[in-house]
Every structure is written in C-alpha cells, then in structure tokens.
Amino acid sequence: MTRKVLVVEDSPDIARLVKLHLSDIQCEADVVGDGREALARFHPDRYALVILDLMLPGIDGLEVCRQLRQQPCYVPILMLTARTAELDRVLGLEMGADDYLTKPFSIPELLARVKALLRRAEALAAPVETPTENETLDAGEMHIDLARHRVEMAGEEVTLTAKEFDLLVHFARHPGRVYTRMQLLDQVWGYSHEGYEHTVNSHINRLRAKIEHNPAKPRFVLTVWGVGYKFADDL
C-alpha cells in the first residue's frame, strides 16, 4: 500500500533526497518549499505523514505545526531541525510534533522514524472494539481516559502531546515495572537507535512538569538510578 507524505522543505537537494528514499518504503511524497504552500496543500485525508522543516520562508515550521494541529483529524508530524536549535525542537514538540530529526541525518534513521510514526498512526486508526476496562486508568488523583485521549489531575485536564500521552499510558499500564531508556524508545517510539536516549529524558522531563506537583520530587514517574524509569505502584 502506497502512502502519501507531505514534505515541507526549502532545500531542493534535501527535499529530492527525502522524496527519493521515501519511495523505498512505499511512500509517495509531495514536496513544497514554504509554509504557506504547505498549509494550502495539506488535507488530513490526503496525507499519512508530514515531514516538516522548522526553518522555512514566510510562515515557519512552528506556526505550520500549530495550524496543522488545529485540524480535527490527527496526522503525525516529523520535524527536521538544525542541530543547534534545541529550543525550537522543544517548542516543536510542545506545538504537537510527534518526533524530530536533527540535520544532518542519515537516511536509514529517517526511514526508521517515518515507519515508526506510520505504524503508530495506523494503530490509532484501527477500529475500536467494545469498551474494555483498559480504556481508563486511575492512579491516585490521576485519571487517564484512553478513548478520549484525555488526562485529568484532581479533576483538572492536563494537556499532553501525543507522545507524552503514549509514554504516560505505557507507564501507567505497568506500575512498578522498570524500563531502560532503550526499552522505552523501542516500545513507545517504535525504534531503538543508540544515542537517542535523550529523547526519552526530554519527554519525561516535560511530562513530569505537567503531572507532578513538584517535578524535582516526582510521585508518579520515578527514576531508578542506573537503570531507567518506572511508574509508582503505591499510589
């Protein structure tokens, strides 16, 4: 099955390279070079994924991401960023990007990220069966509604990005179980490239900032020193 990908990249050389190799994994790419054209071209029924450069003429990638996330339908977004643009990467994730890749990047890594995001999107789009007990999770004052993709703390809604929500649900389903960063990369992100454990660290830090009363002394997502992380089992 061929899937359509919107590539928003103002470098013709990079855009051609990405389009060429996406065809290796049965993806057909439309390429646009600026943010305005991306917003005009985009339709959630047309594309399975958006690959979005942050540095664009006119409307930048952050604003494009923000406007795409206002669409009623979910389409995964993979952001391309400069290696020095750490703040932009954080802002991009906060705006709703699902993942990011820093330039220069390797083609195998790009394709691995694309395949992981497509697998996740297809799993979310799968028909939902009759409601089960796993559609809600409760831990202390935390309530997670899987069907509505909603998290509440003491009755107040907490806004999480798609990946923060996935990470929290993964932890909450397995309280007390310790996961290494590589295990979380594999089971939540769908890839396990060495050297990208910082992706887990940054997401956990942002998740703690949203769900913990005191992120420096977390109650829910705990650090197991020298190993990884776990979800508290004594709430």
Side-chain angles (χ1 to χ4, degrees), residues 27 48 68 93 98 103-104 122 139 142 146 176 189 193-195 225:
C27 289
L68 293 184
L93 293 169
D98 296 272
K103 298 178 181 180
E122 288 165 2
M142 178 188 295
L146 279 74
W189 277 259
H193 297 294
E194 292 185 7
W225 297 106

Side-chain angles (χ1 to χ4, degrees), residues 160-217:
L160 301 181
T161 66
K163 194 58 66 179
E164 289 165 356
F165 183 84
D166 289 348
L167 185 61
L168 178 60
V169 168
H170 187 74
F171 276 126
R173 278 178 167 162
H174 307 96
R177 180 172 176 179
V178 180
Y179 292 94
T180 67
R181 293 168 180 82
M182 290 296 289
Q183 286 173 328
L184 291 170
L185 271 176
D186 182 56
Q187 296 174 30
V188 178
W189 277 259
Y191 56 85
S192 55
H193 297 294
E194 292 185 7
Y196 282 85
E197 294 93 336
H198 65 82
T199 298
V200 175
N201 296 346
S202 62
H203 275 76
I204 285 178
N205 288 339
R206 287 195 296 275
L207 179 60
R208 282 173 170 167
K210 295 179 180 181
I211 67 172
E212 303 283 0
H213 292 299
N214 181 0
K217 296 181 179 180

Side-chain angles (χ1 to χ4, degrees), residues 66-82:
R66 187 188 70 80
Q67 292 195 36
L68 293 184
R69 279 294 170 255
Q70 293 178 343
Q71 298 280 342
C73 296
Y74 165 81
V75 174
I77 298 173
L78 173 62
M79 277 196 159
L80 304 181
T81 74

Side-chain angles (χ1 to χ4, degrees), residues 67-120:
Q67 292 195 36
L68 293 184
R69 279 294 170 255
Q70 293 178 343
Q71 298 280 342
C73 296
Y74 165 81
V75 174
I77 298 173
L78 173 62
M79 277 196 159
L80 304 181
T81 74
R83 186 170 297 277
T84 57
E86 181 176 359
L87 177 60
D88 284 343
R89 292 198 296 271
V90 172
L91 289 173
L93 293 169
E94 293 292 343
M95 288 288 186
D98 296 272
D99 201 357
Y100 69 85
L101 193 58
T102 55
K103 298 178 181 180
F105 52 82
S106 71
I107 292 301
E109 183 178 358
L110 170 70
L111 298 183
R113 302 289 184 99
V114 167
K115 288 189 287 186
L117 289 174
L118 290 173
R119 283 197 302 269
R120 177 183 178 278

